[in-house]
Amino acid sequence: MEGRKWRGRNSTAAAEAAVMKVEKQGTEMGLEDKEMRNRRREPRGNKEQTELSDNTFRCQTYARLLLETLTEIAVVLIVVLLGWAYQTTQPPPPKICGSPDGPPVTSPRIRLSDGRYLAYREKGVPKEAAKYKIIVIHGFGSSKDVSLPASQELIDELGIYFLSFDRAGYGESDPNPKRSVKSEAFDIQELADQLQIGSKFYVIGMLAGVSLVVPIINYWWPSFPANLSQEVYKGRLVQDQWTFRVAHYAPRLLYWWLTQKWFPSLSLLNKNPSIFSRRDKEILTKISKIADLGQDKITPQGVFESLHRDLMVGFGNWEFDPMDLTNPYPENESSVQIWQGYEDRLIPFELQRYVSEKLPWIRYHEVPDGGHLFIFDSGLCEVVLRALLLGEEPSSI
């Protein structure tokens, strides 16, 4: 009886399990049948729309990934281009004379109050025996070794002592990153004091001085009438106009502008023959036959702190307006003179005339057939010296 009883219970459990399994299978089969029926009842258009949506999603995903990749590449390229552009605007450091990797020092020099060294050269009669002492200021792209063509007879006759020097960054003089129009004058003052040339001396400057020979003109001086300065400015070569603009408005880009090869820059640096007058070309032919012009001594420390700095200072914003200057010689004990070539194609005579009209105490001399280099004509050089030292009015130029 026990055995039957337990077999009965086992049979009942087995039967119940079998029923549950059948019901589960039936339910699953029912669900599958229901799903199949729903799929069969689903319109064909909805199926195609689903597939189209899937393809659209994939395309959008690929487009987003492609855009992100291109954006990353563009950012990298921009960073590289900015880095390259920055490098092209940064001038190399100057090679200081006397430094381990710089040119040797071969000229006498003085140490200025700010620690810089200024190289100089003496010529003419001995300083102690001189009747007239002249400090010569060289111009753009020149140096103390480019001498005025004064004859030895004239030097001995008048007893002239010449003192020339390399302006900051030129020749063997240390660069001055803070160079300005006024700093040039302070350098001259210290040079005269340290060499003890006396309280009275004359200055001849191809850039600035007391006898101004084709001095620089800044088209942005506020006292110039806008119509006059613009008219004269537009008469310059286009490449020079752009150089002056960069020097005035974006001096940090000047090194790049003067060293890039895509567009022509300053005509004087490119030795464009059109900037020289007939007389200039004759003078260049003569002086090219002279052995020692000192051309190799002009920019041994680099072009940025010499040539480029000249342009930034000359065409930048000046600390004063030259038309506000007063007569430094109210008792006529000396004079300020401007010498200008009518055919000068670098420095416009129209603006020099305006300056002399605004400052009537300046003695203005215009050389009719003179170009930019007329001071290197020995005859005209003597005329300039006699007018400055002796007050002689030139009978004919």
Side-chain angles (χ1 to χ4, degrees):
M1 290 295 293
E2 282 299 318
R4 289 177 185 169
K5 183 177 180 180
W6 284 107
R7 281 196 300 271
R9 290 178 180 178
N10 292 338
S11 299
T12 303
E16 291 176 352
V19 171
M20 291 176 64
K21 183 175 181 180
V22 171
E23 290 178 352
K24 182 178 180 181
Q25 291 176 347
T27 302
E28 291 176 351
M29 291 179 64
L31 290 174
E32 291 176 357
D33 291 342
K34 184 178 181 180
E35 183 178 351
M36 292 299 294
R37 286 194 301 272
N38 290 337
R39 287 185 178 181
R40 282 195 297 270
R41 285 198 301 266
E42 183 178 304
R44 183 173 181 179
N46 290 346
K47 183 177 180 181
E48 292 176 352
Q49 185 176 2
T50 301
E51 292 177 354
L52 182 60
S53 298
D54 292 342
N55 292 335
T56 302
F57 176 75
R58 293 190 189 97
C59 291
Q60 290 175 345
T61 302
Y62 293 150
R64 186 178 69 254
L65 292 175
L66 179 60
L67 181 61
E68 291 175 354
T69 302
L70 292 176
T71 302
E72 292 175 357
I73 294 174
V75 169
V76 171
L77 288 176
I78 291 173
V79 170
V80 171
L81 288 174
L82 288 176
W84 172 81
Y86 176 78
Q87 289 295 328
T88 59
T89 61
Q90 300 304 300
K95 297 180 179 180
I96 307 298
C97 286
S99 63
D101 60 341
V105 176
T106 60
S107 303
R109 305 197 299 179
I110 63 168
R111 187 182 178 93
L112 301 173
S113 57
D114 61 1
R116 291 182 295 115
Y117 285 95
L118 202 70
Y120 65 91
R121 178 188 181 189
E122 297 172 290
K123 188 181 178 182
V125 303
K127 178 172 51 181
E128 297 75 18
K131 294 180 183 179
Y132 301 102
K133 299 167 185 175
I134 302 177
I135 296 181
V136 180
I137 309 173
H138 69 79
F140 181 84
S142 188
S143 78
K144 68 181 186 308
D145 297 300
V146 180
S147 303
L148 294 176
S151 66
Q152 189 62 46
E153 292 76 14
L154 179 67
I155 294 173
D156 294 336
E157 175 193 344
L158 300 182
I160 305 175
Y161 161 81
F162 291 103
L163 174 61
S164 58
F165 68 99
D166 289 326
R167 295 191 292 111
Y170 279 96
E172 298 178 33
S173 289
D174 289 347
N176 182 7
K178 299 180 180 179
R179 180 146 68 99
S180 67
V181 177
K182 288 185 177 181
S183 71
E184 300 274 14
F186 294 146
D187 288 352
I188 296 171
Q189 180 181 341
E190 285 200 58
L191 178 66
D193 289 343
Q194 291 197 35
L195 294 186
Q196 300 179 348
I197 67 173
S199 59
K200 183 178 181 179
F201 56 87
Y202 298 84
V203 177
I204 292 181
M206 274 70 84
L207 181 72
V210 176
S211 186
L212 309 176
V213 181
V214 292
I216 193 170
I217 284 291
N218 187 322
Y219 300 95
W220 290 272
W221 284 345
S223 295
F224 279 145
N227 59 338
L228 176 62
S229 59
Q230 285 300 310
E231 179 184 353
V232 175
Y233 179 77
K234 291 179 180 179
R236 306 303 98 188
L237 294 176
V238 174
Q239 62 195 82
D240 290 344
Q241 292 182 38
W242 276 104
T243 300
F244 301 153
R245 284 194 193 101
V246 174
H248 183 77
Y249 293 110
R252 291 182 179 273
L253 298 179
L254 186 61
Y255 174 78
W256 168 79
W257 173 252
L258 293 175
T259 55
Q260 52 81 31
K261 305 300 182 183
W262 301 335
F263 309 101
S265 57
L266 188 64
S267 59
L268 190 58
L269 293 180
N270 297 332
K271 298 179 180 179
N272 188 330
S274 65
I275 63 174
F276 297 111
S277 68
R278 177 186 59 82
R279 288 289 298 275
D280 283 338
K281 293 175 181 178
E282 292 175 359
I283 292 172
L284 284 172
T285 301
K286 290 181 180 179
I287 64 178
S288 64
K289 299 176 182 178
I290 302 174
D292 184 16
L293 286 176
Q295 292 295 321
D296 58 329
K297 302 176 182 178
I298 293 176
T299 58
Q301 302 179 87
V303 296
F304 180 75
E305 289 295 345
S306 51
L307 305 176
H308 300 183
R309 186 71 68 180
D310 262 0
L311 295 171
M312 288 189 287
V313 172
F315 295 101
N317 293 314
W318 284 36
E319 302 167 357
F320 61 95
D321 187 346
M323 255 66 83
D324 292 336
L325 294 175
T326 57
N327 188 356
Y329 307 112
E331 303 298 328
N332 293 324
E333 61 271 29
S334 190
S335 65
V336 177
Q337 304 179 14
I338 288 180
W339 293 81
Q340 173 68 36
Y342 179 78
E343 295 184 0
D344 191 331
R345 299 177 185 177
L346 293 173
I347 306 295
F349 70 87
E350 296 94 337
L351 297 182
Q352 300 286 25
R353 287 179 180 177
Y354 182 84
V355 172
S356 64
E357 291 171 2
K358 293 289 290 185
L359 304 176
W361 44 268
I362 291 179
R363 297 182 183 178
Y364 179 70
H365 305 279
E366 194 168 284
V367 183
D369 61 346
H372 190 69
L373 304 175
F374 75 85
I375 191 61
F376 294 104
D377 179 286
S378 58
L380 289 173
C381 180
E382 180 173 341
V383 170
V384 172
L385 289 174
R386 288 187 178 276
L388 175 64
L389 303 178
L390 305 178
E392 294 182 359
E393 287 294 331
S395 56
S396 61
I397 303 178

